[in-house]
């Protein structure tokens, strides 16, 4: 698999359950903040300081982390070298 990241952003996360499953802050269609396990639906912030400011408002946010996404065209199938 290629290591070239197509997009990166800052996201707010919280860890749920004994397995500490990662959940990402998102905005649902009603315009309300919610949590999702789908990183593609994460609210993406361009600057760390924006994430830090939002984390002060979202009580259950545990961290602001940089996350990267790959486009499907940049991924090598697992059965190919």
């Amino acid at each position: 698999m290629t290591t070239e990241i197509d997009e990166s952003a800052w996201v707010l996360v919280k860890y749920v359950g004994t397995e500490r499953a990662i959940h990402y802050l998102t905005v649902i269609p009603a315009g309300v903040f919610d949590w999702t396990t789908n990183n593609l639906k994460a609210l993406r912030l361009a600057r760390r300081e924006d994430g830090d400011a939002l984390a002060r408002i979202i009580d259950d946010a545990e961290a602001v982390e940089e996350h990267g996404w790959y486009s499907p065209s940049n991924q090598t199938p697992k059965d190919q070298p």
Side-chain angles (χ1 to χ4, degrees), residues 56-68:
R56 288 192 289 275
I57 298 168
I58 306 296
D59 292 333
D60 52 349
E62 295 181 33
V64 177
E65 298 179 355
E66 189 171 24
H67 189 83

Side-chain angles (χ1 to χ4, degrees), residues 36-81:
T36 180
T37 56
N38 184 344
N39 68 67
L40 298 175
K41 295 182 179 180
L43 177 64
R44 302 172 188 196
L45 303 166
R47 302 181 312 163
R48 166 86 193 222
E49 52 265 33
D50 296 332
D52 292 336
L54 188 55
R56 288 192 289 275
I57 298 168
I58 306 296
D59 292 333
D60 52 349
E62 295 181 33
V64 177
E65 298 179 355
E66 189 171 24
H67 189 83
W69 291 268
Y70 302 92
S71 72
S73 63
N74 277 350
Q75 296 184 14
T76 304
K78 292 180 183 179
D79 60 349
Q80 294 183 7

Side-chain angles (χ1 to χ4, degrees), residues 2-4 11 15 19-20 24 34-35 38 41 47 60 71 75 80-81:
T2 183
T3 58
E4 187 175 326
V11 297
Y15 302 95
E19 296 180 6
R20 307 288 289 157
Y24 304 90
D34 198 8
W35 295 97
N38 184 344
K41 295 182 179 180
R47 302 181 312 163
D60 52 349
S71 72
Q75 296 184 14
Q80 294 183 7

